[in-house]
Amino acid sequence: MSAEIENHDNHNLSRNTPFSTILDRRMSRRRVMQGGLGVAAATLFAGFGLPGAVRAATAAASGQSLSLGFESIPGSMTDAVVVPPGYRAQVLIPWGTPLTTDGTAWSPDLSLTPELQARATGMHHDGMYHFPLDPEQASSDFLLVVNHEYIDQSALWAPSNGATNPKQGARPADEVRTEINAHGVSVVRIRRDADGHWAPVTGDRHNRRFTSATSMELAGPVRGSEMVMTAWSPDGTRVRGTNNNCACGHTPWGTYLTCEENWPEVFTNSGERTADQKRLGMPTGRGRYGWETAEQGQEGEFSRFDNTPRGASAREDYRNEARAFGYVVEIDPYDSDSRAYKRTALGRFRHEGCWPGRVVEGEPLAFYTGHDARNEYIYKFVSKKRWDARDANRPGEHYDRQSIGASYLDEGTLHVARFNEDGSGDWLALTPESEIPGGGPNGERTLGEVFGDQAGIIINTCDAADLLGATPMDRPEWGTVDPGSGDVYMSLTNNSDRTAQDTEPTFTDGAAGLGALGAGFDTAPVNAANPRPDNNFGQVMRWRETDRANRFEWEVFLFGAPAGAGNEINRSGLTEANEFASPDGLWFDERGENGEGILWIETDNGIDKGRDNAVAQATNDQVLAIVPGALARGDTRQTGQQLRRFAVGPNACEVTGIFATPDRTALFINIQHPGNWPASDDATQVTKGQVRPRAATVVIQKEDGGPVGV
Ligand code: FEO
Ligand code: CA
Ligand code: CA
């Protein structure tokens, strides 16, 4: 309850914004400017010259707090997107939108083929980011890069009344190829016309698809390791495809990071699973879509999804195929000939996304990541190389961004988080030299003695983290960083395997403890950072690095809950106007000279294909907003009072993926797995009858063209 939370005010990180803090922020902003952060800084400042942003800039200049300029909208359960009065919402690049001029226009009875799907946007839009071609046009013409997390077979195969042999028997090769091509990432140039309408630039030379079959490079510690050698990549340097790309990230040098989340289930091993296969949950029966059952594939095209050892060695089968998945993958959207690189140094698990920390000239770069599974961990990668402003993005230019990426993302130190009860936290380094408190499963003293080299630690990231005593969290989802203060926010979406205080934890497959390789927490009792048992509603964390190396200070920022729940559950005092559950997407939207910003929160709670709790019975998934800068630290009840509901999605969807144009006049979100939507180009139009549902990006703008949210 709130009294307990208020005790966290010993963090001494007041958000009352004393002058010294404002000064610090201005200094750090100036450092960023001098450092030429490029797009981020340049576009941010470009925005203040535009009429729509005048109000925010004026507020900042007068020292006033930024404030939200809309009232909380009611919950909604319709087949439509709902936005506040004075706003409109447009559907953009829904699934099946042709990217090339030789594609086929969408129609409700379109039968997708592997070729058509490879030239069109994929299904289930998720994380996304924007990359300007010309900084002067950054708010009206840019490359949109969007993840396609997974597929809905009933919508994909609607014209033939469903997939062939979805649960048993061999899948037809071309159906599998189509499904594989509906996953991955799209790069598409989009443009706004004079009327404020957005459209893809069909046939633009930047437009391209990465799918779960595209050839990619392994980079970092795992590249060339025996552990990733396969019949198709006998030297362990390449792999086909990226899969279940959930959230995203971006780099100061102008590349996109796409993150592989729920990939273990597309593979199978019907024999004895390895420790990493057990730890990450690879099935022993049929894979999620039975891709491994298709016949007549080329070069193990389908059989690679079956990781059962069948050859005399790893180079003669696909036992190691899945070890090339579970990474952060770097894409250069500006160069349509560039390859994608799996940056293995950032760890291997069910990566939700990857968020860059504060960028400071001459300092190492930090990237925060989380493992989205119950009782899994939060990680931070710190580059060995220090930030050199000469590496900053030069929008639209062609040069070797992947070499710059290699210099920051292939060498560095991966850490896992321990959240201490007193509000402090420790980043524990995952290196061969790292000592294991209490020793390894066979009395080993260091991670190197257990896992061999760094590649072994990376392949078994979660088991290595277990041994160091990381804190099991309530399903880490998105993070975001306040670029001024460096504060990191992260959603912990929910956790049905969080048990009451003083209960004993249980471990995967009935293992006796964490020491057993391949065994993680199955259930874990509450701890200070994850304080509610059977956590149906989730919370948003906040932490800040301290001057002491590898030490941070944390608090719970906001608790999700139904309005009608008691104080033990509804710890942020939410009402019908802002109740939410299962926070997922986050974005810190920096506005104003004093470093303030709006924290946008998206939810994945959902009654139809998600959880059936009191919030799901009151409203569809939604977008909420809060200005965290003016809030006292550690007061989650005050936070709850300031939170407002901004938008609500259509029935059965989740709302995910978020950014705004640099001038903040257009907010982009994704509507994933809607049940019966969209009805038309107008996202707010309620569907009449039944449509073939399509995930889509939605652009929310003010009728008067001003900045969104204020
Ligand atoms: Fe794909 Fe954890 O959301
Ligand atoms: Ca373990
Ligand atoms: Ca998510």
Short mmCIF file of all heavy atoms in Angstrom, two decimals, residues 79-140:
data_model
loop_
_atom_site.label_atom_id
_atom_site.label_comp_id
_atom_site.label_asym_id
_atom_site.label_seq_id
_atom_site.Cartn_x
_atom_site.Cartn_y
_atom_site.Cartn_z
N ASP A 79 -15.26 -1.72 -31.84
CA ASP A 79 -14.34 -2.03 -32.93
C ASP A 79 -13.86 -0.74 -33.56
O ASP A 79 -14.08 -0.49 -34.75
CB ASP A 79 -15.05 -2.92 -33.97
CG ASP A 79 -15.22 -4.34 -33.46
OD1 ASP A 79 -14.27 -4.88 -32.87
OD2 ASP A 79 -16.31 -4.91 -33.65
N ALA A 80 -13.20 0.09 -32.75
CA ALA A 80 -12.69 1.38 -33.25
C ALA A 80 -11.62 1.90 -32.31
O ALA A 80 -11.59 1.55 -31.14
CB ALA A 80 -13.83 2.40 -33.35
N VAL A 81 -10.76 2.75 -32.85
CA VAL A 81 -9.82 3.51 -32.02
C VAL A 81 -10.55 4.75 -31.52
O VAL A 81 -11.27 5.41 -32.29
CB VAL A 81 -8.57 3.91 -32.83
CG1 VAL A 81 -7.68 4.88 -32.05
CG2 VAL A 81 -7.77 2.66 -33.23
N VAL A 82 -10.40 5.07 -30.24
CA VAL A 82 -11.04 6.26 -29.67
C VAL A 82 -9.94 7.23 -29.22
O VAL A 82 -8.96 6.81 -28.58
CB VAL A 82 -11.93 5.88 -28.47
CG1 VAL A 82 -12.64 7.12 -27.93
CG2 VAL A 82 -12.94 4.81 -28.88
N VAL A 83 -10.10 8.50 -29.60
CA VAL A 83 -9.12 9.53 -29.23
C VAL A 83 -9.87 10.72 -28.62
O VAL A 83 -11.10 10.82 -28.75
CB VAL A 83 -8.30 9.99 -30.47
CG1 VAL A 83 -7.38 8.87 -30.94
CG2 VAL A 83 -9.21 10.45 -31.60
N PRO A 84 -9.18 11.63 -27.94
CA PRO A 84 -9.88 12.76 -27.31
C PRO A 84 -10.51 13.68 -28.34
O PRO A 84 -10.13 13.69 -29.52
CB PRO A 84 -8.76 13.49 -26.56
CG PRO A 84 -7.63 12.52 -26.43
CD PRO A 84 -7.73 11.65 -27.65
N PRO A 85 -11.48 14.52 -27.91
CA PRO A 85 -12.07 15.52 -28.80
C PRO A 85 -10.96 16.40 -29.39
O PRO A 85 -10.00 16.74 -28.69
CB PRO A 85 -12.98 16.34 -27.88
CG PRO A 85 -13.25 15.44 -26.71
CD PRO A 85 -12.06 14.56 -26.56
N GLY A 86 -11.10 16.75 -30.66
CA GLY A 86 -10.10 17.60 -31.30
C GLY A 86 -8.98 16.82 -31.95
O GLY A 86 -8.07 17.42 -32.53
N TYR A 87 -9.03 15.49 -31.85
CA TYR A 87 -8.01 14.64 -32.47
C TYR A 87 -8.62 13.77 -33.55
O TYR A 87 -9.81 13.47 -33.52
CB TYR A 87 -7.36 13.72 -31.42
CG TYR A 87 -6.40 14.42 -30.50
CD1 TYR A 87 -6.88 15.13 -29.39
CD2 TYR A 87 -5.03 14.35 -30.70
CE1 TYR A 87 -6.00 15.76 -28.53
CE2 TYR A 87 -4.14 14.98 -29.84
CZ TYR A 87 -4.63 15.68 -28.75
OH TYR A 87 -3.76 16.30 -27.90
N ARG A 88 -7.79 13.33 -34.49
CA ARG A 88 -8.20 12.33 -35.47
C ARG A 88 -7.15 11.24 -35.51
O ARG A 88 -6.03 11.42 -35.03
CB ARG A 88 -8.40 12.97 -36.84
CG ARG A 88 -7.17 13.64 -37.39
CD ARG A 88 -7.54 14.55 -38.58
NE ARG A 88 -6.50 15.51 -38.84
CZ ARG A 88 -5.85 15.58 -40.00
NH1 ARG A 88 -6.12 14.75 -40.98
NH2 ARG A 88 -4.92 16.49 -40.19
N ALA A 89 -7.53 10.10 -36.08
CA ALA A 89 -6.62 8.94 -36.12
C ALA A 89 -6.75 8.25 -37.46
O ALA A 89 -7.86 7.91 -37.89
CB ALA A 89 -6.95 7.98 -34.98
N GLN A 90 -5.62 8.03 -38.11
CA GLN A 90 -5.60 7.47 -39.47
C GLN A 90 -4.89 6.12 -39.48
O GLN A 90 -3.87 5.93 -38.82
CB GLN A 90 -4.84 8.44 -40.39
CG GLN A 90 -4.82 8.00 -41.83
CD GLN A 90 -3.56 8.42 -42.57
OE1 GLN A 90 -3.07 9.52 -42.37
NE2 GLN A 90 -3.05 7.52 -43.41
N VAL A 91 -5.44 5.18 -40.24
CA VAL A 91 -4.81 3.87 -40.43
C VAL A 91 -3.70 4.00 -41.48
O VAL A 91 -3.90 4.60 -42.53
CB VAL A 91 -5.87 2.84 -40.90
CG1 VAL A 91 -5.20 1.51 -41.26
CG2 VAL A 91 -6.93 2.64 -39.82
N LEU A 92 -2.53 3.43 -41.16
CA LEU A 92 -1.38 3.50 -42.07
C LEU A 92 -0.74 2.12 -42.17
O LEU A 92 -0.61 1.42 -41.17
CB LEU A 92 -0.38 4.53 -41.53
CG LEU A 92 0.86 4.81 -42.39
CD1 LEU A 92 0.48 5.53 -43.67
CD2 LEU A 92 1.87 5.64 -41.60
N ILE A 93 -0.28 1.78 -43.34
CA ILE A 93 0.41 0.51 -43.69
C ILE A 93 -0.13 -0.71 -42.92
O ILE A 93 0.63 -1.43 -42.27
CB ILE A 93 1.94 0.61 -43.55
CG1 ILE A 93 2.38 0.95 -42.12
CG2 ILE A 93 2.52 1.60 -44.55
CD1 ILE A 93 3.85 0.54 -41.84
N PRO A 94 -1.43 -1.01 -43.02
CA PRO A 94 -1.91 -2.25 -42.41
C PRO A 94 -1.23 -3.45 -43.08
O PRO A 94 -0.69 -3.35 -44.18
CB PRO A 94 -3.41 -2.23 -42.69
CG PRO A 94 -3.59 -1.30 -43.85
CD PRO A 94 -2.48 -0.30 -43.75
N TRP A 95 -1.28 -4.59 -42.38
CA TRP A 95 -0.76 -5.86 -42.92
C TRP A 95 -1.17 -6.03 -44.39
O TRP A 95 -2.33 -5.81 -44.74
CB TRP A 95 -1.30 -7.03 -42.09
CG TRP A 95 -1.23 -8.34 -42.81
CD1 TRP A 95 -0.13 -8.89 -43.42
CD2 TRP A 95 -2.31 -9.25 -43.02
NE1 TRP A 95 -0.46 -10.09 -43.98
CE2 TRP A 95 -1.79 -10.34 -43.76
CE3 TRP A 95 -3.66 -9.26 -42.66
CZ2 TRP A 95 -2.58 -11.43 -44.14
CZ3 TRP A 95 -4.44 -10.33 -43.03
CH2 TRP A 95 -3.89 -11.40 -43.77
N GLY A 96 -0.22 -6.43 -45.23
CA GLY A 96 -0.52 -6.70 -46.63
C GLY A 96 -0.40 -5.49 -47.54
O GLY A 96 -0.73 -5.58 -48.73
N THR A 97 0.10 -4.36 -47.02
CA THR A 97 0.30 -3.17 -47.86
C THR A 97 1.51 -3.39 -48.77
O THR A 97 2.61 -3.64 -48.27
CB THR A 97 0.56 -1.92 -46.99
OG1 THR A 97 -0.55 -1.73 -46.12
CG2 THR A 97 0.79 -0.69 -47.84
N PRO A 98 1.34 -3.32 -50.11
CA PRO A 98 2.49 -3.53 -50.99
C PRO A 98 3.55 -2.45 -50.78
O PRO A 98 3.23 -1.26 -50.66
CB PRO A 98 1.89 -3.43 -52.40
CG PRO A 98 0.42 -3.53 -52.23
CD PRO A 98 0.11 -3.05 -50.85
N LEU A 99 4.81 -2.88 -50.74
CA LEU A 99 5.93 -1.94 -50.58
C LEU A 99 6.58 -1.64 -51.92
O LEU A 99 7.29 -0.66 -52.07
CB LEU A 99 6.98 -2.52 -49.62
CG LEU A 99 6.47 -2.85 -48.22
CD1 LEU A 99 7.61 -3.41 -47.37
CD2 LEU A 99 5.89 -1.62 -47.55
N THR A 100 6.35 -2.53 -52.89
CA THR A 100 6.97 -2.38 -54.21
C THR A 100 5.87 -2.18 -55.24
O THR A 100 4.69 -2.50 -54.99
CB THR A 100 7.77 -3.64 -54.56
OG1 THR A 100 6.88 -4.77 -54.54
CG2 THR A 100 8.89 -3.88 -53.56
N THR A 101 6.26 -1.68 -56.41
CA THR A 101 5.25 -1.38 -57.42
C THR A 101 4.74 -2.65 -58.10
O THR A 101 3.71 -2.60 -58.78
CB THR A 101 5.83 -0.43 -58.49
OG1 THR A 101 7.09 -0.94 -58.92
CG2 THR A 101 6.02 0.96 -57.93
N ASP A 102 5.42 -3.78 -57.90
CA ASP A 102 4.93 -5.03 -58.49
C ASP A 102 4.11 -5.85 -57.49
O ASP A 102 3.87 -7.03 -57.70
CB ASP A 102 6.08 -5.87 -59.07
CG ASP A 102 7.13 -6.19 -58.01
OD1 ASP A 102 7.00 -5.68 -56.88
OD2 ASP A 102 8.05 -6.96 -58.33
N GLY A 103 3.71 -5.23 -56.39
CA GLY A 103 2.87 -5.94 -55.42
C GLY A 103 1.42 -5.97 -55.89
O GLY A 103 1.07 -5.44 -56.95
N THR A 104 0.56 -6.60 -55.10
CA THR A 104 -0.86 -6.65 -55.43
C THR A 104 -1.61 -5.89 -54.34
O THR A 104 -1.40 -6.13 -53.16
CB THR A 104 -1.35 -8.11 -55.47
OG1 THR A 104 -0.58 -8.80 -56.44
CG2 THR A 104 -2.83 -8.18 -55.82
N ALA A 105 -2.48 -4.98 -54.77
CA ALA A 105 -3.24 -4.19 -53.80
C ALA A 105 -4.07 -5.10 -52.91
O ALA A 105 -4.55 -6.15 -53.34
CB ALA A 105 -4.13 -3.20 -54.53
N TRP A 106 -4.25 -4.68 -51.68
CA TRP A 106 -5.03 -5.47 -50.72
C TRP A 106 -6.48 -5.56 -51.15
O TRP A 106 -7.06 -4.60 -51.65
CB TRP A 106 -4.96 -4.82 -49.34
CG TRP A 106 -5.84 -5.52 -48.35
CD1 TRP A 106 -7.11 -5.18 -48.00
CD2 TRP A 106 -5.54 -6.71 -47.64
NE1 TRP A 106 -7.61 -6.07 -47.09
CE2 TRP A 106 -6.66 -7.03 -46.85
CE3 TRP A 106 -4.41 -7.54 -47.58
CZ2 TRP A 106 -6.69 -8.14 -46.01
CZ3 TRP A 106 -4.44 -8.64 -46.74
CH2 TRP A 106 -5.57 -8.93 -45.97
N SER A 107 -7.06 -6.72 -50.98
CA SER A 107 -8.52 -6.85 -51.03
C SER A 107 -8.89 -7.88 -49.98
O SER A 107 -8.05 -8.71 -49.61
CB SER A 107 -8.99 -7.29 -52.42
OG SER A 107 -8.61 -8.63 -52.64
N PRO A 108 -10.10 -7.82 -49.46
CA PRO A 108 -10.46 -8.71 -48.35
C PRO A 108 -10.34 -10.19 -48.69
O PRO A 108 -10.19 -11.01 -47.79
CB PRO A 108 -11.91 -8.32 -48.05
CG PRO A 108 -12.06 -6.94 -48.58
CD PRO A 108 -11.16 -6.85 -49.76
N ASP A 109 -10.38 -10.53 -49.98
CA ASP A 109 -10.27 -11.94 -50.34
C ASP A 109 -8.90 -12.27 -50.95
O ASP A 109 -8.73 -13.29 -51.60
CB ASP A 109 -11.39 -12.35 -51.30
CG ASP A 109 -11.41 -11.47 -52.54
OD1 ASP A 109 -10.59 -10.52 -52.61
OD2 ASP A 109 -12.24 -11.74 -53.43
N LEU A 110 -7.91 -11.39 -50.72
CA LEU A 110 -6.57 -11.62 -51.27
C LEU A 110 -5.96 -12.90 -50.67
O LEU A 110 -5.89 -13.05 -49.45
CB LEU A 110 -5.66 -10.43 -50.95
CG LEU A 110 -4.21 -10.53 -51.43
CD1 LEU A 110 -4.12 -10.51 -52.95
CD2 LEU A 110 -3.38 -9.39 -50.84
N SER A 111 -5.51 -13.79 -51.54
CA SER A 111 -4.79 -14.99 -51.09
C SER A 111 -3.30 -14.67 -51.12
O SER A 111 -2.74 -14.43 -52.19
CB SER A 111 -5.08 -16.17 -52.01
OG SER A 111 -6.40 -16.60 -51.83
N LEU A 112 -2.68 -14.68 -49.96
CA LEU A 112 -1.25 -14.35 -49.89
C LEU A 112 -0.43 -15.53 -50.41
O LEU A 112 -0.78 -16.69 -50.17
CB LEU A 112 -0.84 -14.04 -48.46
CG LEU A 112 -0.98 -12.59 -47.96
CD1 LEU A 112 -0.11 -11.65 -48.78
CD2 LEU A 112 -2.40 -12.12 -47.92
N THR A 113 0.64 -15.20 -51.09
CA THR A 113 1.64 -16.19 -51.52
C THR A 113 2.97 -15.79 -50.89
O THR A 113 3.11 -14.66 -50.41
CB THR A 113 1.80 -16.16 -53.05
OG1 THR A 113 2.31 -14.86 -53.42
CG2 THR A 113 0.47 -16.42 -53.76
N PRO A 114 3.97 -16.68 -50.92
CA PRO A 114 5.27 -16.28 -50.36
C PRO A 114 5.79 -15.02 -51.04
O PRO A 114 6.33 -14.13 -50.36
CB PRO A 114 6.17 -17.48 -50.68
CG PRO A 114 5.24 -18.65 -50.77
CD PRO A 114 3.96 -18.10 -51.34
N GLU A 115 5.62 -14.91 -52.34
CA GLU A 115 6.16 -13.77 -53.08
C GLU A 115 5.41 -12.48 -52.72
O GLU A 115 6.04 -11.44 -52.49
CB GLU A 115 6.06 -14.02 -54.59
CG GLU A 115 6.93 -15.17 -55.09
CD GLU A 115 6.40 -16.55 -54.70
OE1 GLU A 115 5.16 -16.71 -54.51
OE2 GLU A 115 7.21 -17.48 -54.54
N LEU A 116 4.09 -12.54 -52.69
CA LEU A 116 3.32 -11.34 -52.34
C LEU A 116 3.63 -10.88 -50.92
O LEU A 116 3.81 -9.69 -50.66
CB LEU A 116 1.81 -11.62 -52.46
CG LEU A 116 1.21 -11.63 -53.85
CD1 LEU A 116 -0.30 -11.91 -53.75
CD2 LEU A 116 1.45 -10.31 -54.56
N GLN A 117 3.70 -11.85 -50.00
CA GLN A 117 3.93 -11.48 -48.60
C GLN A 117 5.33 -10.90 -48.41
O GLN A 117 5.54 -10.02 -47.57
CB GLN A 117 3.70 -12.68 -47.69
CG GLN A 117 3.81 -12.37 -46.22
CD GLN A 117 2.85 -11.28 -45.73
OE1 GLN A 117 1.71 -11.54 -45.41
NE2 GLN A 117 3.32 -10.03 -45.65
N ALA A 118 6.29 -11.36 -49.21
CA ALA A 118 7.66 -10.84 -49.10
C ALA A 118 7.79 -9.42 -49.64
O ALA A 118 8.78 -8.74 -49.37
CB ALA A 118 8.64 -11.76 -49.83
N ARG A 119 6.79 -8.97 -50.40
CA ARG A 119 6.82 -7.61 -50.95
C ARG A 119 5.83 -6.68 -50.26
O ARG A 119 5.58 -5.57 -50.73
CB ARG A 119 6.49 -7.65 -52.46
CG ARG A 119 7.54 -8.35 -53.30
CD ARG A 119 7.36 -8.03 -54.76
NE ARG A 119 6.15 -8.61 -55.32
CZ ARG A 119 6.11 -9.74 -56.01
NH1 ARG A 119 7.20 -10.43 -56.24
NH2 ARG A 119 4.96 -10.19 -56.49
N ALA A 120 5.24 -7.17 -49.16
CA ALA A 120 4.21 -6.38 -48.47
C ALA A 120 4.49 -6.37 -46.96
O ALA A 120 5.29 -7.18 -46.47
CB ALA A 120 2.83 -7.00 -48.73
N THR A 121 3.85 -5.44 -46.25
CA THR A 121 4.03 -5.40 -44.80
C THR A 121 3.56 -6.71 -44.17
O THR A 121 2.59 -7.32 -44.62
CB THR A 121 3.25 -4.23 -44.17
OG1 THR A 121 1.90 -4.26 -44.65
CG2 THR A 121 3.88 -2.90 -44.52
N GLY A 122 4.25 -7.12 -43.11
CA GLY A 122 3.90 -8.34 -42.40
C GLY A 122 2.73 -8.14 -41.46
O GLY A 122 2.06 -7.10 -41.47
N MET A 123 2.48 -9.17 -40.63
CA MET A 123 1.36 -9.13 -39.68
C MET A 123 1.84 -8.61 -38.32
O MET A 123 3.01 -8.61 -38.01
CB MET A 123 0.78 -10.55 -39.49
CG MET A 123 0.11 -11.13 -40.71
SD MET A 123 -0.80 -12.65 -40.30
CE MET A 123 -2.48 -12.06 -40.42
N HIS A 124 0.88 -8.24 -37.51
CA HIS A 124 1.09 -8.00 -36.08
C HIS A 124 2.20 -7.00 -35.79
O HIS A 124 3.21 -7.33 -35.15
CB HIS A 124 1.33 -9.33 -35.37
CG HIS A 124 0.06 -10.13 -35.18
ND1 HIS A 124 -1.06 -9.92 -35.96
CD2 HIS A 124 -0.26 -11.12 -34.32
CE1 HIS A 124 -2.00 -10.75 -35.57
NE2 HIS A 124 -1.55 -11.49 -34.58
N HIS A 125 1.98 -5.78 -36.25
CA HIS A 125 2.92 -4.68 -36.02
C HIS A 125 3.23 -4.52 -34.52
O HIS A 125 2.32 -4.56 -33.70
CB HIS A 125 2.31 -3.37 -36.52
CG HIS A 125 1.91 -3.35 -37.97
ND1 HIS A 125 1.53 -4.45 -38.68
CD2 HIS A 125 1.87 -2.31 -38.85
CE1 HIS A 125 1.24 -4.11 -39.93
NE2 HIS A 125 1.45 -2.80 -40.06
N ASP A 126 4.49 -4.26 -34.23
CA ASP A 126 4.87 -4.07 -32.81
C ASP A 126 5.81 -2.88 -32.68
O ASP A 126 5.45 -1.78 -33.06
CB ASP A 126 5.42 -5.38 -32.23
CG ASP A 126 5.26 -5.45 -30.74
OD1 ASP A 126 5.58 -4.47 -30.05
OD2 ASP A 126 4.80 -6.49 -30.22
N GLY A 127 7.03 -3.08 -32.19
CA GLY A 127 7.95 -1.95 -32.04
C GLY A 127 8.22 -1.26 -33.37
O GLY A 127 8.16 -1.90 -34.43
N MET A 128 8.50 0.05 -33.32
CA MET A 128 8.80 0.79 -34.56
C MET A 128 9.58 2.06 -34.22
O MET A 128 9.57 2.52 -33.08
CB MET A 128 7.52 1.14 -35.32
CG MET A 128 6.58 2.02 -34.55
SD MET A 128 5.10 2.42 -35.53
CE MET A 128 4.04 3.06 -34.24
N TYR A 129 10.26 2.61 -35.24
CA TYR A 129 10.99 3.85 -35.04
C TYR A 129 11.10 4.56 -36.39
O TYR A 129 10.86 3.97 -37.44
CB TYR A 129 12.38 3.59 -34.44
CG TYR A 129 12.93 4.81 -33.74
CD1 TYR A 129 12.34 5.29 -32.57
CD2 TYR A 129 14.02 5.49 -34.25
CE1 TYR A 129 12.83 6.42 -31.94
CE2 TYR A 129 14.52 6.63 -33.61
CZ TYR A 129 13.91 7.09 -32.46
OH TYR A 129 14.39 8.21 -31.85
N HIS A 130 11.48 5.83 -36.33
CA HIS A 130 11.51 6.67 -37.52
C HIS A 130 12.94 7.13 -37.82
O HIS A 130 13.72 7.41 -36.90
CB HIS A 130 10.61 7.90 -37.33
CG HIS A 130 10.98 8.71 -36.11
ND1 HIS A 130 11.44 10.00 -36.19
CD2 HIS A 130 10.99 8.40 -34.79
CE1 HIS A 130 11.69 10.46 -34.97
NE2 HIS A 130 11.43 9.51 -34.11
N PHE A 131 13.28 7.22 -39.10
CA PHE A 131 14.61 7.59 -39.54
C PHE A 131 14.49 8.62 -40.65
O PHE A 131 14.09 8.29 -41.78
CB PHE A 131 15.37 6.34 -40.03
CG PHE A 131 15.60 5.34 -38.93
CD1 PHE A 131 14.63 4.38 -38.64
CD2 PHE A 131 16.75 5.39 -38.17
CE1 PHE A 131 14.83 3.48 -37.60
CE2 PHE A 131 16.96 4.49 -37.13
CZ PHE A 131 15.99 3.53 -36.85
N PRO A 132 14.83 9.89 -40.37
CA PRO A 132 14.66 10.94 -41.38
C PRO A 132 15.66 10.76 -42.52
O PRO A 132 16.79 10.31 -42.32
CB PRO A 132 14.95 12.23 -40.61
CG PRO A 132 15.83 11.81 -39.48
CD PRO A 132 15.41 10.41 -39.12
N LEU A 133 15.23 11.13 -43.71
CA LEU A 133 16.14 11.16 -44.85
C LEU A 133 16.77 12.53 -44.97
O LEU A 133 17.95 12.67 -45.22
CB LEU A 133 15.36 10.80 -46.12
CG LEU A 133 14.89 9.35 -46.15
CD1 LEU A 133 13.79 9.15 -47.17
CD2 LEU A 133 16.06 8.42 -46.43
N ASP A 134 15.95 13.56 -44.76
CA ASP A 134 16.41 14.94 -44.79
C ASP A 134 15.94 15.57 -43.47
O ASP A 134 14.73 15.64 -43.22
CB ASP A 134 15.76 15.65 -45.99
CG ASP A 134 16.03 17.15 -45.98
OD1 ASP A 134 16.67 17.65 -45.03
OD2 ASP A 134 15.58 17.81 -46.93
N PRO A 135 16.87 16.00 -42.61
CA PRO A 135 16.46 16.54 -41.31
C PRO A 135 15.44 17.67 -41.41
O PRO A 135 14.61 17.84 -40.51
CB PRO A 135 17.78 17.05 -40.71
CG PRO A 135 18.84 16.22 -41.36
CD PRO A 135 18.33 15.94 -42.76
N GLU A 136 15.43 18.40 -42.51
CA GLU A 136 14.46 19.49 -42.69
C GLU A 136 13.04 18.96 -42.84
O GLU A 136 12.07 19.66 -42.58
CB GLU A 136 14.81 20.30 -43.94
CG GLU A 136 16.17 20.98 -43.89
CD GLU A 136 16.13 22.25 -43.07
OE1 GLU A 136 15.23 23.07 -43.33
OE2 GLU A 136 16.96 22.40 -42.16
N GLN A 137 12.94 17.73 -43.32
CA GLN A 137 11.61 17.13 -43.56
C GLN A 137 11.30 16.02 -42.56
O GLN A 137 10.46 15.17 -42.82
CB GLN A 137 11.57 16.52 -44.98
CG GLN A 137 11.97 17.47 -46.09
CD GLN A 137 10.99 18.61 -46.23
OE1 GLN A 137 9.79 18.44 -46.04
NE2 GLN A 137 11.49 19.80 -46.55
N ALA A 138 12.01 16.02 -41.43
CA ALA A 138 11.96 14.86 -40.53
C ALA A 138 10.58 14.57 -39.96
O ALA A 138 10.31 13.45 -39.54
CB ALA A 138 12.96 15.05 -39.39
N SER A 139 9.70 15.57 -39.97
CA SER A 139 8.37 15.36 -39.40
C SER A 139 7.31 15.07 -40.45
O SER A 139 6.13 14.93 -40.12
CB SER A 139 7.95 16.59 -38.57
OG SER A 139 8.75 16.67 -37.41
N SER A 140 7.72 14.98 -41.71
CA SER A 140 6.71 14.75 -42.75
C SER A 140 7.12 13.72 -43.79
O SER A 140 6.32 13.34 -44.63
CB SER A 140 6.40 16.07 -43.46
OG SER A 140 7.57 16.62 -44.02
#
